[in-house]
Amino acid sequence: MDFFPPHLCTVDSARGVLENANGRYEKRLRDLNGLYRDEDAFRLLAETRGEEIAYEVTSFTPGHRVADLIMGVTKMAPGKVGDEYFMTRGHIHAQPDRPEIYFGQKGNGLMLLESPQGDVEILEISAHSICYVPPFWIHRSVNTGAEEFVMMFAYPADAGQDYEIIAASGGMRVRVVDDGAGGWRAEDNSSYRPRTPETVRSILAKADALA
């Protein structure tokens, strides 16, 4: 049997990158159409700052077997659209029974989590804190600080991402907005559509089928 050779990467917290990585992708502000409640504010932002990078991911992928781990670094720019803080698209894993960890490196932000049934959890992340995302939880990162928000992450290499589960429900159940006092608050998303029992069962059944 051929074994994959050991590999060393370095997290550069100041730059927000994983050195010695073999993968990279970015999302520019103009790519995030449909995420934010204030469509007029987003349109103006896209027209004036659309080419700016909203978030960037550098990663190392050794392979795609379940026994492998993908690891990487996410760097998020600070800012708001209207009163809503910058966020990632968010996803559930395509193989939904796969977990993930996020290790805060720089800045301050949140992990917004939602179960298929619509239960919500919000965890604050800062430097040196570790967030565990259990299997089956939809998750989205939010930068609530005034500087770049940087996290290291790791998850099983066969997990994959399903972004459409959020779009199909009109977004996540809550939005994270400026509370007007230097902090944040969660408020209900009026566009949210709860998943049907059939949809929830299909997510759980998919995990059973993959076991």
Side-chain angles (χ1 to χ4, degrees), residues 112-182:
L112 175 59
L113 301 110
E114 181 181 317
S115 73
Q117 296 91 337
D119 301 311
V120 173
E121 295 283 347
I122 302 177
L123 303 178
E124 293 189 285
I125 302 176
S126 57
H128 310 302
S129 60
I130 299 177
C131 170
Y132 174 63
V133 178
F136 300 104
W137 284 82
I138 303 159
H139 47 288
R140 162 179 281 167
S141 306
V142 184
N143 185 351
T144 56
E147 64 174 327
E148 289 178 339
F149 182 37
V150 178
M151 294 181 293
M152 180 263 180
F153 62 81
Y155 61 89
D158 70 336
Q161 288 86 27
D162 174 2
Y163 298 99
E164 293 306 312
I165 190 171
I166 296 176
S169 288
M172 296 186 73
R173 186 172 177 176
V174 302
R175 296 182 179 276
V176 178
V177 301
D178 189 337
D179 67 359

Side-chain angles (χ1 to χ4, degrees), residues 26-33 41-55 86:
E26 63 187 32
K27 288 293 180 183
R28 298 183 182 272
L29 290 172
R30 58 173 165 74
D31 298 327
L32 302 181
N33 186 36
F42 177 80
R43 189 177 302 111
L44 178 61
L45 184 74
E47 290 173 355
T48 57
R49 298 174 53 195
E51 292 303 312
E52 293 181 24
I53 296 175
Y55 58 94
F86 279 5

Side-chain angles (χ1 to χ4, degrees), residues 157-211:
D158 70 336
Q161 288 86 27
D162 174 2
Y163 298 99
E164 293 306 312
I165 190 171
I166 296 176
S169 288
M172 296 186 73
R173 186 172 177 176
V174 302
R175 296 182 179 276
V176 178
V177 301
D178 189 337
D179 67 359
W184 62 271
R185 73 171 186 271
E187 60 180 41
D188 290 339
N189 173 12
S190 60
S191 300
Y192 181 75
R193 299 182 296 274
R195 296 169 197 90
T196 65
E198 292 77 14
T199 297
V200 173
R201 283 196 294 270
S202 71
I203 294 170
L204 303 181
K206 184 178 181 182
D208 290 339
L210 293 168

